[in-house]
Amino acid sequence: MYSLADLNPVQREAVEHRDGPLLILAGAGSGKTRVLTYRIAHLVARGVAPWSILAITFTNKAAKEMRQRVETLLGSAGAGLWVSTFHSACVRILRREIDHLSGYARSFVIYDTGDQLSVLKSCLKELDLDEKKFPARGISAKISDWKNRLCQVQDAEGQAAEYFEEMAAKAYRLYQKKLMANNALDFDDIIMLTVELFRQNPTVLDYYRDRFRYILVDEYQDTNHAQYTLVNLLAARYRNLCVVGDDDQAVYGWRGADVQNILAFERDYPEAVVLKLEQNYRSTKHILQAANAVVRHNLDRKAKSLWTENLSGDLLIHYAAEDERDEARYVAERIRRLKDREGRPNKDFAVLYRSNAQSRILEEYLLREGIPYRVVSGMKFYERMEIKDILAYLRVLHNPADRVSFSRILNVPKRGLGESVLAKVLLYAEEQGLDMLAALREAEYIPGLRPQAREALLSLSRLLEELREQSLEGKITDLVEEILDKTDYWTMLKADNTPEAQARVENLQEFLSVTAEYDAKIPEERDEQAAEEGNRPAAGTASGSLAEAEDRLGPGAEDRPGTQAGGTFLTGGEDRIVSGTGDTASAGAEDRPIPEAGGDFPAEEEDGPALVIDDFSAGVGGFLEQVALVADIDQLNEGDDGVVLMTMHSAKGLEFPVVFLVGMEEGIFPSSHSLLAEAALEEERRLCYVALTRAKEKIYLCCASRRLLYGHIQSNLPSRFFSEVPPELMLDRDPIDPPPRRQGRMGGAVRGGGFAGTSGHGRSKNRDDGSLASAGTPLATGKSETYHVGDKVEHEKFGRGIIVSVKGEGASAILTVAFSGQLKQLISEYAKLTRF
DNA sequence: TATCCGAGGCTTTTT
DNA sequence: GCCTCGGATA
């Protein structure tokens, strides 16, 4: 059970609020997860049926955590509760209401970004669009943007203003057509189609409205228009909508998230109760003061100020490195020293950077120091080639309409079936209206094939038919092993004696442990459940029976925390542990609290019975769905003791005792892409706020005066965010170092170095207009023009831009200029720049 | 059809 | 600097 005595007065009010809209503005580290889970528990305790509660998060990690906590609080009383991500919830609804969704079959698969891109590329090819002017990624972003705004193809065509948009809309039309032909949805479709389903089928909407009387949404500031619409459609009748968020932590605007959604909540619900959670339980006073001070520079925000009863703690420490190597060296050396001095385990430390490209050098120096680390990188386990290959087999077996997956496996392993054969098979399938398995079966009749190709196709056909039969029953693990075996995938990899092939073998073994876990968690009544999915009454029938069906489905059948938690398949992958030599964490280290989102929550007990349900159907389909919707950042395994390296974005929601922010330079952070637009700059500043508030005890901020990035050296000014931290909160020298001694490499060299220098970077001047130009030291002296970092210039072709680095001197100086959307290197003499 | 090489590209990425 | 993609070649 839970006790309201665990809560502060505002938290308590949020938990006790029962009916009507509720906005909780929850600052970083203010215990919002606790509030959400207690609130759910409290609703149930006061008689609200668990199955009438829907709690939505963005990440699986958050969903899992919330589920576990609620389970701890409620035990079996929570049966039937929906705690899931936007995407999981929507997929679940879509599958259930598939009959209302014309053009798609229940076996639809979910395409990830890579799949999307390959579909789109084929569209662009078909439309004969110049890939220079219409890059697939750009068009993809545009389409995603449309979908996030709920613009259907017709809408996009209607409102396309310029040529690019017109072409993008054309591509959009074809792209949707192809997705449908493949019986596939992309991530954005999942939300958009659910909204459309509701809008076009009032009885369906009615059912879900009636069912979900209490809705809770986490990270509301990150919702995009489609998600916002979805939530508000569902909440419209009972208006028991509780949203939690923090406008200061809105860092996904570039992805379509609209912070206005949370800012306008009171307009949407004038009767809303608004509560502010401003007490922070995570960080020291100094860290919090710094974070508050930085974010206060944003004009577009709700006024609030976090406070804490925690100790003042250490001051922030600033290190001005010579270059990125010096910076990395410093970080590694600091970690080593703190470990030695304070007996901290590796996992106490996180190094956060703006872009993934910055991790390499850090890895190098950590390795050199013998400090174990793990990189949480962009490359996901499920995005690895070998994993995608096997998934493609599974997908084709499950959904033979999937041409993308079919194209992927046709010649993997090599069967001598290349582009031209693929084209012929696809064309034949198209003409005959066949799915890919059926087309293969008819390989005899496909025109223009050489005998060997024909034979190879037929043999593949036989293999797939055999596998398909097996896929309908039995374990996924057996099926995957069969695939690896019968296709000679193992043989192919094992014949290849490279380390990469070895890594692939290991990844596949890891994958097999994922499937094994999945198989183990599926109860015997899989068939029963599948039958239920099939015979489910249409929405709009009396809710009672459905709800009961849900309840029966709940225990065990749908909640498979183990499968989702996984925990195994990441460790061998990108999220790796590199063990250093001589790593001697003290004995007490193990007892330290593990980094955990909202770590103020009391320790959890061992897994109770799995009663809080989540949504996955069974079988190959269920497995594929899980894989598609579960990103492996969720698997950041807390048992592993390594320094964590990740982007500031990835760090959102996490906390660490000691945090290093590296690359704090103009053009890096804030990113050069944001320098021209005030809104983008404010988002960078919020990111800085997020990054600062990850730290519990200590934080180091580093910048380098020179940096090798993308192959060339650039000189950047220290980030403007330095100047936004009150000077009295920051030190230039770490007090754990002995007082200044002889000319060390940390002291004189940097201070005497090229430009602004540590003391001259403007921190003391405390400029708050964010302008940089005035602080810049002349870095180039041309005959006619001298450009400075930060100068705003105009180019006849590229338009307006801002200089982010200057290399060399005089007329031959190489300028890196951030124009809207692109970085350009220009030679001062020839660039023909004018100031504006 | 498979492979090799070079030009161009490059924020962030919960799903 | 490093990776991806596409074109040219064997």
Side-chain angles (χ1 to χ4, degrees):
Chain A
M1 264 320 269
Y2 63 96
S3 160
L4 295 181
D6 299 342
L7 305 166
N8 72 36
V10 189
Q11 288 177 331
R12 184 168 174 159
E13 203 180 334
V15 167
E16 292 191 303
H17 172 95
R18 179 167 167 152
D19 292 325
L22 173 63
L23 168 62
I24 304 173
L25 293 165
S30 63
K32 68 166 179 155
T33 308
R34 169 186 284 202
V35 167
L36 276 171
T37 50
Y38 274 54
R39 183 173 153 73
I40 292 170
H42 198 62
L43 284 172
V44 173
R46 292 202 300 177
V48 173
W51 43 261
S52 66
I53 301 173
L54 170 65
I56 301 180
T57 63
F58 272 84
T59 66
N60 290 295
K61 184 180 160 78
K64 188 183 122 202
E65 185 185 1
M66 205 184 291
R67 238 178 271 134
Q68 285 174 345
R69 288 191 182 190
V70 170
E71 209 171 292
T72 307
L73 298 177
L74 278 181
S76 63
L81 194 65
W82 272 35
V83 181
S84 76
T85 63
F86 270 104
H87 294 266
S88 294
C90 286
V91 165
R92 187 176 186 187
I93 291 169
L94 288 175
R95 282 210 209 279
R96 180 181 295 164
E97 310 299 338
I98 195 74
D99 297 339
H100 298 279
L101 205 65
S102 63
Y104 296 94
R106 177 176 252 105
S107 57
F108 67 78
V109 291
I110 297 159
Y111 275 179
D112 67 18
T113 322
D115 304 320
Q116 284 175 48
L117 227 48
S118 53
V119 174
L120 190 59
K121 276 180 184 163
S122 77
C123 295
L124 297 176
K125 202 173 242 176
E126 214 167 304
L127 293 171
D128 208 23
L129 288 173
D130 174 17
E131 58 198 55
K132 283 272 148 47
K133 288 177 81 176
F134 303 97
R137 292 180 56 143
I139 304 274
S140 174
K142 186 71 225 174
I143 292 174
S144 176
D145 190 53
W146 272 322
K147 289 182 176 181
N148 290 161
R149 294 172 199 277
L150 298 173
C151 282
Q152 310 266 4
V153 172
Q154 320 72 276
D155 307 325
E157 286 172 337
Q159 68 185 62
E162 354 122 11
Y163 188 59
F164 179 85
E165 293 200 338
E166 274 177 42
M167 295 303 111
K170 269 190 159 172
Y172 184 14
R173 174 170 290 279
L174 188 56
Y175 173 73
Q176 285 309 103
K177 191 180 145 201
K178 290 201 180 205
L179 282 183
M180 196 180 276
N182 288 325
N183 195 24
L185 307 188
D186 67 20
F187 287 130
D188 302 319
D189 282 335
I190 292 171
I191 313 291
M192 185 176 73
L193 290 181
T194 308
V195 171
E196 206 195 336
L197 170 84
F198 286 158
R199 282 184 169 167
Q200 298 193 344
N201 301 278
T203 48
V204 175
L205 175 57
D206 232 46
Y207 165 73
Y208 289 97
R209 270 186 178 164
D210 217 54
R211 164 160 184 170
F212 295 125
R213 297 191 184 199
Y214 291 86
I215 299 174
L216 301 91
V217 185
D218 194 12
E219 303 276 21
Y220 197 65
Q221 80 281 354
D222 287 338
T223 50
N224 62 36
H225 180 71
Q227 291 159 334
Y228 164 85
T229 306
L230 179 83
V231 165
N232 286 282
L233 272 176
L234 282 174
R237 179 167 305 153
Y238 291 99
R239 300 173 82 79
N240 296 323
L241 174 61
C242 167
V243 303
V244 186
D246 180 1
D247 54 308
D248 285 334
Q249 292 185 71
V251 293
Y252 285 104
W254 51 275
R255 254 178 131 248
D258 187 356
V259 70
Q260 288 311 123
N261 292 343
I262 194 167
L263 297 178
F265 190 81
E266 293 165 83
R267 181 204 64 203
D268 294 340
Y269 300 90
E271 77 275 32
V273 171
V274 182
L275 297 172
K276 289 185 183 181
L277 301 179
E278 292 182 302
Q279 181 174 3
N280 171 294
Y281 296 92
R282 178 187 297 153
S283 311
T284 64
K285 282 197 176 71
H286 285 147
I287 291 170
L288 224 47
Q289 282 163 5
N292 279 332
V294 169
V295 80
R296 250 200 309 275
H297 285 79
N298 277 352
L299 302 174
D300 190 18
R301 69 185 283 261
K302 280 205 167 190
K304 67 179 100 57
S305 195
L306 278 182
W307 59 277
T308 184
E309 286 176 354
N310 293 345
L311 299 174
S312 290
D314 296 340
L315 291 171
L316 287 69
I317 294 156
H318 167 231
Y319 181 65
E322 292 171 60
D323 54 27
E324 80 286 351
R325 312 190 75 84
D326 185 34
E327 178 182 69
R329 195 215 85 249
Y330 177 79
V331 170
E333 182 261 341
R334 272 310 95 164
I335 291 173
R336 156 82 35 230
R337 194 171 297 203
L338 282 171
K339 282 175 58 164
D340 291 348
R341 266 178 70 106
E342 303 178 5
R344 292 178 182 276
N346 299 304
K347 63 185 178 191
D348 267 18
F349 302 91
V351 189
L352 309 182
Y353 34 78
R354 181 62 233 273
S355 76
N356 284 305
Q358 292 169 255
S359 71
R360 175 162 274 116
I361 190 74
L362 291 161
E363 291 190 60
E364 191 182 318
Y365 279 83
L366 287 171
L367 209 53
R368 198 178 283 189
E369 275 287 326
I371 298 169
Y373 65 89
R374 49 195 168 147
V375 182
V376 180
S377 94
M379 184 61 161
K380 305 287 194 318
F381 182 72
Y382 292 121
E383 285 168 9
R384 283 158 196 285
M385 195 211 322
E386 60 280 10
I387 306 299
K388 288 217 72 173
D389 288 342
I390 295 314
L391 286 172
Y393 274 96
L394 291 176
R395 281 180 175 188
V396 169
L397 296 174
H398 176 68
N399 173 34
D402 186 344
R403 287 155 179 76
V404 172
S405 297
F406 177 79
S407 307
R408 184 178 188 101
I409 63 169
L410 182 67
N411 200 31
V412 175
K414 302 248 182 298
R415 301 185 177 93
L417 299 172
E419 276 306 309
S420 70
V421 175
L422 173 63
K424 281 167 191 150
V425 178
L426 289 176
L427 181 66
Y428 183 79
E430 187 82 40
E431 286 172 351
Q432 306 291 317
L434 299 173
D435 68 40
M436 304 321 292
L437 292 183
L440 273 189
R441 239 178 273 130
E442 299 188 8
E444 304 255 26
Y445 311 107
I446 301 177
L449 289 177
R450 289 206 230 135
Q452 302 135 289
R454 198 176 302 272
E455 206 27 68
L457 286 176
L458 285 172
S459 128
L460 177 62
S461 175
R462 285 189 293 273
L463 174 58
L464 291 177
E465 293 296 339
E466 202 178 311
L467 291 169
R468 180 161 165 85
E469 232 157 79
Q470 191 180 340
S471 76
L472 299 177
E473 51 194 54
K475 296 187 186 310
I476 312 280
T477 309
D478 297 339
L479 178 61
V480 171
E481 275 177 344
E482 200 77 359
I483 293 171
L484 290 169
D485 205 36
K486 291 261 174 71
T487 61
D488 289 327
Y489 204 98
W490 279 137
T491 322
M492 172 184 82
L493 282 183
K494 284 172 181 161
D496 188 355
N497 256 333
T498 60
E500 294 89 69
Q502 181 53 37
R504 300 217 153 109
V505 170
E506 281 166 23
N507 284 332
L508 285 170
Q509 278 158 348
E510 208 53 54
F511 183 72
L512 279 168
S513 74
V514 177
T515 62
E517 215 166 329
Y518 181 87
D519 287 327
K521 291 284 164 28
I522 296 281
E524 318 68 55
E525 67 261 29
R526 175 195 297 179
D527 298 335
E528 191 186 312
Q529 185 186 343
E532 179 132 31
E533 288 284 334
N535 303 332
R536 191 184 296 279
T541 51
S543 63
S545 62
L546 231 176
E548 283 160 24
E550 285 289 333
D551 270 1
R552 271 184 278 113
L553 267 178
E558 300 209 7
D559 183 45
R560 293 183 290 277
T563 328
Q564 275 203 83
T568 43
F569 55 78
L570 236 207
T571 46
E574 183 68 24
D575 185 10
R576 59 201 181 276
I577 287 279
V578 178
S579 36
T581 49
D583 173 44
T584 49
S586 79
E590 286 302 303
D591 299 330
R592 284 187 171 277
I594 43 181
E596 178 201 341
D600 54 298
F601 197 76
E604 313 252 324
E605 285 158 49
E606 279 303 305
D607 282 4
L611 288 164
V612 186
I613 64 170
D614 188 38
D615 41 332
F616 287 117
S617 51
V620 177
F623 180 71
L624 288 174
E625 184 165 315
Q626 170 176 321
V627 169
L629 294 178
V630 177
D632 47 4
I633 177 85
D634 305 348
Q635 315 294 333
L636 214 162
N637 195 335
E638 287 167 352
D640 300 335
D641 182 33
V643 171
V644 176
L645 270 55
M646 63 180 151
T647 64
M648 299 179 193
H649 281 92
S650 301
K652 192 167 165 230
L654 305 177
E655 61 180 26
F656 302 90
V658 184
V659 169
F660 293 83
L661 303 185
V662 297
M664 302 258 321
E665 296 140 42
E666 288 292 306
I668 306 279
F669 185 46
S671 134
S672 57
H673 300 260
S674 69
L675 297 180
L676 281 176
E678 200 52 39
L681 208 47
E682 295 212 343
E683 183 152 305
E684 296 285 304
R685 192 174 282 112
R686 289 192 293 271
L687 186 58
C688 185
Y689 173 78
V690 167
L692 290 168
T693 52
R694 296 313 92 196
K696 295 166 83 167
E697 301 167 31
K698 283 179 191 288
I699 190 157
Y700 290 83
L701 312 173
C702 309
C703 62
S705 36
R706 277 173 287 116
R707 179 177 296 274
L708 181 67
L709 197 66
Y710 301 140
H712 23 226
I713 294 166
Q714 47 180 253
S715 302
N716 300 315
L717 285 178
S719 172
R720 71 192 62 199
F721 302 140
F722 280 114
S723 65
E724 296 173 358
V725 175
E728 63 276 14
L729 291 177
M730 192 149 57
L731 292 173
D732 281 336
R733 192 183 62 79
D734 191 343
I736 71 172
D737 287 326
R741 7 159 214 195
R742 63 218 181 273
Q743 288 280 7
R745 70 222 267 217
M746 270 179 291
V750 172
R751 226 162 274 271
F755 71 105
T758 38
S759 49
H761 62 45
R763 192 154 62 73
S764 51
K765 292 179 201 146
N766 218 348
R767 284 167 289 116
D768 58 6
D769 62 347
S771 82
L772 278 163
S774 58
T777 308
L779 291 167
T781 41
K783 261 180 229 160
S784 46
E785 272 300 348
T786 301
Y787 293 106
H788 305 237
V789 171
D791 283 1
K792 294 178 176 175
V793 294
E794 188 154 356
H795 185 276
E796 57 174 7
K797 182 158 167 242
F798 304 123
R800 292 184 163 194
I802 188 163
I803 296 185
V804 295
S805 90
V806 180
K807 183 194 170 193
E809 297 207 338
S812 62
I814 295 171
L815 312 172
T816 306
V817 190
F819 295 102
S820 70
Q822 55 183 346
L823 267 187
K824 288 284 171 205
Q825 304 261 330
L826 303 167
I827 296 169
S828 177
E829 189 174 7
Y830 307 113
K832 282 187 271 182
L833 295 171
T834 52
R835 295 174 192 275
F836 74 91

